[in-house]
Structure formats: C-alpha cells, structure tokens
Amino acid sequence: MPSGGGTVTRNADVLPFPFPARPQVMTGYIRFVELGTILISEARLWQISVADANPRLMVEAVSGVYRMRHSTDNGTVTSTLAVAPSIGDGVEVMAQVNVDGSIQIHQSINGAALTSGSVSSALALAPQWSGVILNINRGGARGFIAIREIVFHRGVQSLTTMRRLAGVT
Amino acid sequence: MPDRIGNAALIWSATSDASGQRVHLLQAPLRAIKAGHSMQTFQRQSLDRSVLENVAIGDGSAELRGRVRYDHDPVGLSDAIVAGSQGKTLRYIPDLSDPDVDFQCDLVAPLAPFGLELDQQRGILGDQSVELVLRQTDQGSFDPLYHGSAVLFSYRAGGSLEASSSFGRVTSSSAPATFADIDAGGGFGSLSTALSNQARIHWMSTASSVGPRTFPTLLLEDSRENFMDESEDLDTWTNTNATLSSGQGDPFGGTKAWLVADDSTSAFATVHRNFTPDDGAGPYVLSVFLKDGTTSSTGIIQWRDITASEDRVNYRVTWSSGEPTITVVAGTTLSNHERWRDGWWRIDALSTTDVSTGNINRITVFPSGVSSGIKADVGVFGFQVE
C-alpha cells in the first residue's frame, strides 16, 4: 500500500457466489495459502448463507485453529481442528456434512497427513439455507487468504476425490 | 425396464398439450459432458504469416454437450427435441432432489429432422441415446456442471468470476491494492496495482521456495491501513549522515526505490520516519522491501516506540549471494522472506507487544548497523505498518 503525504487504506475484497444447492450430504474443499485468517477470531474461510441468519454452514478461525460450524434454528454443532497452520503454509481444509446433519472437518498442511476434528452431534438438515450465497472470506470477520481451489461436491467424499475434482496433483 | 440410476429431467411448457407442462425423466443425468463455446469469429493472416488479425462478433455463448443414455421413452425424448427445435426453453435439472440447481436452456442440436440412436450399451434392449447441445438462455457458463452433475460449486484461481454475483473492492490512489504478477522479472514477482473492482490473481511459490512463482491464487484480504505515510519518499524522512540515491529500480518495475548508504567511517548513518498507529492496541505488522546493496554489512531495520522507549521490531539483516538472512532481536517473523523481481526481498515482522495507541513510533534504517567504522548500503522500498 504505497502512501504519499498521508496514510492510505486498502478496501476489503468482497466475493459472493450464487449457491442454490439445498442443505444435503456434501463435502466442501478449499486449498489456499495461509496469510493470516487463522489469527483473526471468527474470520471465515467460507460461509453458505447470509451473514448471521440460520440455517448456515461455515469454516471459521476460532482460538487459533479452524472450526466447522453448522447452525439451524434448532441448534449449532461444530467440529474443531487441533493444529493451526502458520503464515505461508499451503493448507487444504475439507468439510463434510453427513446425512444426519453432523459435520466433520479435516486439514492437511503442506501436503502432510490429514488431521481431523471429531464428528459433531447430529443436527437435522434444514430444507434450505438462509441465503443461496457462498461467501468466501466473508460472512463474519474477514481474514487474509490466497485461494487456489474451492470445490463443493455431493456426498461424503475422501480427500483423494476432492483433490482430483479440484485438479490438485 | 431398468431402474433409474439418476434423478434428472427435462421440463418444458406445452400450452398446446392438455398437460400444460411436459416432463421427460432421464434415466441418468447427461453423460459424457463436454464444454463448448460458440462465437462468430473471423481471422486472417498476413502474407508472411507474422500477423494474425481476429474479429469476434460479441461474446458468443457457452455450450454444453451431453449424452442422453439408456432412454426407454423415445417418444418423450423426441418430444423434448421437437420442443427445443420449436424454440421452447428446456429446463434441465440434473437432480430432482435439488431442483434449485437447474439450467434454462435453448437447444442447439439436434434440431428436427433428427433420429435417435440405439444406446451403445443397452440398444439391444431398445434403449436409445442422443447427444444434446445446449446453451443457457442467458448465454452463461454451465460451470460447475462441466465437472459432472454431482459438483455443486467449483472455482480455481485464474478461472472466470462471471458467476460471482458481484466481486467488489474499490481501489484508488488513496486506497491502493497490489499483488504479484509474473509478466516480468523472471517470474519472481512484479508488484502490480489492481484496478478498482478487479480481483487480484496473486502469483506465489511454496513457503520454502525462493524460486519463481509457479501457481496463481485469488488474493482476498480484509481492509487495512498503512500507518506509514511517505512510504516511498525517503527524501521526506529524517536523515542522519546517510547518502540517499533515488531513482533505483523498484519491485513495480519503476524507479521509486532508494539506495541508503553509510559512506562514513567516523559515524553511522540512519534514515527514519515517525508515525502514530491509531487503530487500536494492535499488534501491528511491519513489512518492507529490501535489496542487497553494492557494499553489504549487517544492517538494522528497527521499529521503536519512542514514547515507551521499547523496540517493537529489531531485525539484523545480513546478505549472502543477494539473499537476506534475518536475525530477530525483537519482533516475530510471520513468514519466510519473500523473493521478488530484480533481487528484491520482502520481509515482515509482527510487533513484540500490543502497540499503545497515540504513542510516537519510529521506523529507522541503519545501513551498517550501529558501527561507525563500516561503510555499507542497502536498497529499500515500500514501508508498511498495518
């Protein structure tokens, strides 16, 4: 941010996509370079729905690690990772939604073996999300990421499958 | 009659039919999906074949080619093709369990007159097949359908953002946004400024690599203020015994960088500028571009809270074969030093503690450290505290 006679401010990037698919058994995969989102409380990697309205699904940074959260009007369930990436790490985060609405998050840092959060309790899937929007780095707090690929696929898929769909070699 | 192995359908309006709406249930979602595009183009070459001239009429339309398989309702399938031939919109739903994922299509081919084919696998049992060429009525891409009907969303850095409802980031001289391009500088990163509402395709290399940047990323960042004013104008900084040379090649490919030299053997040289962070207690991050000078020594980049008399960042920088080695005396390195074009490197540092709002802070460059007996110089550019 080159400055002249005064300070300057870079505005935030805003990136929403249409996401008409209803709540269902699915897997979300994002590969990115960590630039600081992990350090910002409740910064979203991605969120399906409008900002604070349920039902919604998201992956966010909480207490220095990534956490997956599924919220409906009947409750909230989470799945939390134990290991945090460092700035500059290549990170893959995979988020699975099961048929009973339970969720599980997985992560690979710099191509290392997958680590996983615990499977959450069940939470019945709502008939639709509060908004047909996929927000990337938005929906709550914003962070800093460099995205390489992001893919959502029906069904509970393996990391191998999601990597193939994303074109990751 | 085989069980359906999918849940797809073609739907169209049929006002001349008592049913009003016609539905053709597909035995499986369209198979052998192939992406395509149709656009009227003209091209000619110069006589010596060195110049190509292209003329395109408009932006054309994305197309999808997909094969209907195992169809045992040839009348219904034929009626769908007839409807498409009559200009009716065919609504393709890959999965009726998720009807909001649908595509409003015009039929490009086949048009009547046509003939269905026997299915290559089950034709002996009477199943029929046909390849459909479809365009969306808004000429839009069929992504993510190109990946197969089970893909709900797909994006790869560098791909089209047309599907995005609205990418936004207002950029101006008072609100700049930069990124690393690879259009020059041997692929090591050329600093570039994004246009307003233009997404930044930021090229990177792996964290442990100092080689060329080999993969694109989509850079998404929150709003940040650079609390350093005059970040590129060292002639406005306070100079103590330093020799400043302007007009040095910079990471943009321009000439706004500076060479800061200590030419004295009797006193050490510095340049510094004060600033006041006022965005809360922090912590804050300092970053700056450095380049090995003609005479290397152990230089210092210091961020000192003058009011509290404490260093927030103190980096000792030595050089070997044009690459810096950072020894941290104060502060925390967030990432490996990042290589850029023409021998430039970007370093970063997290301040030691939260910064007290309102305190006077100072960034100082010591080309030869605090030794008065050494001559040295270093290239500097683009100071940033955010």
Side-chain angles (χ1 to χ4, degrees):
Chain A
M1 294 181 277
S3 63
T7 62
V8 295
T9 298
R10 180 190 64 238
N11 292 316
D13 298 295
V14 176
L15 183 58
F17 284 98
F19 193 86
R22 61 175 172 75
Q24 59 189 279
V25 180
M26 66 177 178
T27 304
Y29 169 90
I30 182 169
R31 184 165 76 136
F32 60 99
V33 178
E34 178 63 64
L35 297 180
T37 294
I38 196 67
L39 301 175
I40 300 171
S41 181
E42 298 188 0
R44 310 287 201 259
L45 284 183
W46 54 261
Q47 176 169 314
I48 297 173
S49 87
V50 296
D52 291 321
N54 292 330
R56 51 186 167 150
L57 185 72
M58 70 186 74
V59 173
E60 58 182 347
V62 175
S63 301
V65 293
Y66 284 116
R67 178 180 79 174
M68 183 181 181
R69 172 155 58 123
H70 173 208
S71 296
T72 72
D73 290 338
N74 298 316
T76 294
V77 293
T78 60
S79 176
T80 306
L81 291 163
V83 179
S86 301
I87 305 289
D89 280 343
V91 187
E92 298 166 273
V93 172
M94 186 171 70
Q96 297 169 329
V97 179
N98 300 305
V99 66
D100 60 358
S102 63
I103 56 177
Q104 188 175 22
I105 189 171
H106 311 268
Q107 177 180 259
S108 170
I109 299 176
N110 296 325
L114 208 62
T115 60
S116 304
S118 300
V119 180
S120 76
S121 304
L123 178 65
L125 293 170
Q128 60 190 58
W129 303 112
S130 63
V132 289
I133 296 176
L134 170 65
N135 283 300
I136 302 179
N137 194 42
R138 186 170 174 251
R142 293 196 186 97
F144 303 84
I145 51 172
I147 294 173
R148 300 185 67 173
E149 297 91 9
I150 179 166
V151 177
F152 285 80
H153 192 281
R154 297 183 202 278
V156 176
Q157 307 296 336
S158 68
L159 181 64
T160 300
T161 297
M162 298 308 291
R163 280 174 170 168
R164 177 180 58 79
L165 289 167
V168 177
T169 55
Chain B
M1 183 176 296
D3 292 333
R4 293 181 67 225
I5 53 178
N7 202 23
L10 289 169
I11 302 174
W12 65 97
S13 66
T15 53
S16 60
D17 191 309
S19 67
Q21 182 188 68
R22 291 290 308 278
V23 179
H24 179 66
L25 295 174
L26 297 170
Q27 292 304 109
L30 294 178
R31 294 291 184 87
I33 297 285
K34 289 171 284 189
H37 192 276
S38 181
M39 184 168 65
Q40 186 72 273
T41 59
F42 301 92
Q43 185 184 82
R44 68 178 182 182
Q45 297 189 53
S46 60
L47 288 176
D48 65 358
R49 298 292 188 261
S50 65
V51 178
L52 283 174
E53 292 183 38
N54 290 296
V55 174
I57 310 300
D59 294 326
S61 179
E63 290 186 348
L64 176 139
R65 294 169 184 263
R67 179 161 287 276
V68 176
R69 294 290 308 276
Y70 319 116
D71 202 288
H72 53 262
D73 179 13
V75 174
L77 179 57
S78 296
D79 285 349
I81 295 173
V82 169
S85 301
Q86 292 171 329
K88 293 181 180 175
T89 296
L90 301 178
R91 181 185 177 197
Y92 172 55
I93 302 176
D95 186 348
L96 287 167
S97 299
D98 201 358
D100 285 340
V101 181
D102 68 343
F103 301 86
Q104 303 286 342
C105 302
D106 295 320
L107 181 66
V108 178
L111 300 177
F114 65 91
L116 302 179
E117 305 155 23
L118 291 177
D119 187 271
Q120 63 191 31
Q121 186 177 358
R122 295 180 57 85
I124 196 169
L125 300 174
D127 287 359
Q128 306 203 16
S129 172
V130 68
E131 181 178 76
L132 302 179
V133 181
L134 302 172
R135 284 182 197 163
Q136 291 206 74
T137 55
D138 63 359
Q139 298 83 51
S141 167
F142 283 85
D143 201 32
L145 195 59
Y146 292 136
H147 302 270
S149 61
V151 174
L152 302 173
F153 175 83
S154 178
Y155 172 78
R156 166 177 275 187
S160 171
L161 287 176
E162 268 188 4
S164 171
S165 52
S166 54
F167 174 82
R169 184 208 59 254
V170 174
T171 302
S172 65
S173 58
S174 61
T178 56
F179 62 100
D181 204 343
I182 56 168
D183 59 349
F188 292 108
S190 185
L191 197 58
S192 301
T193 301
L195 298 175
S196 194
N197 293 317
Q198 178 189 59
R200 293 175 287 168
I201 300 302
H202 177 68
W203 288 80
M204 302 188 76
S205 57
T206 57
S208 58
S209 170
V210 293
R213 296 167 186 260
T214 56
F215 58 87
T217 69
L218 174 65
L219 188 58
L220 296 178
E221 298 182 298
D222 195 7
S223 170
R224 277 298 181 269
E225 180 177 356
N226 181 7
F227 292 98
M228 286 290 298
D229 64 348
E230 306 294 357
S231 64
E232 298 176 356
D233 300 316
L234 265 62
D235 53 355
T236 63
W237 290 36
T238 302
N239 185 338
T240 304
N241 300 321
T243 301
L244 297 180
S245 301
S246 63
Q248 307 297 309
D250 64 38
F252 277 105
T255 55
K256 291 189 175 181
W258 294 81
L259 189 66
V260 181
D262 179 349
D263 293 329
S264 170
T265 56
S266 60
F268 65 84
T270 67
V271 288
H272 77 255
R273 185 154 184 94
N274 292 349
F275 68 99
T276 305
D278 58 2
D279 193 31
Y284 292 73
V285 175
L286 163 69
S287 61
V288 62
F289 289 89
L290 300 176
K291 181 176 179 178
D292 193 10
T294 55
T295 307
S296 300
S297 179
T298 301
I300 298 174
I301 301 294
Q302 181 195 49
W303 168 5
R304 188 167 180 81
D305 184 324
I306 301 300
T307 305
S309 298
E310 292 178 357
D311 278 354
R312 299 296 175 218
V313 172
N314 190 312
Y315 277 6
R316 308 301 170 98
V317 182
T318 55
W319 296 88
S320 176
S321 301
E323 180 175 354
T325 299
I326 308 296
T327 301
V328 179
V329 177
T332 304
T333 302
L334 287 176
S335 59
N336 288 339
H337 44 273
E338 189 182 23
R339 186 172 181 177
W340 290 74
R341 64 179 294 171
D342 302 331
W344 287 98
W345 299 79
R346 193 178 194 196
I347 64 171
D348 59 45
L350 183 69
S351 59
T352 52
T353 64
D354 287 355
V355 174
S356 299
T357 306
N359 281 14
I360 297 174
N361 288 256
R362 175 176 296 171
I363 300 293
T364 306
V365 178
F366 301 74
S368 61
V370 293
S371 170
S372 59
I374 299 175
K375 292 184 178 182
D377 54 17
V378 64
V380 297
F381 178 78
F383 290 85
Q384 186 162 304
V385 174
E386 55 184 303

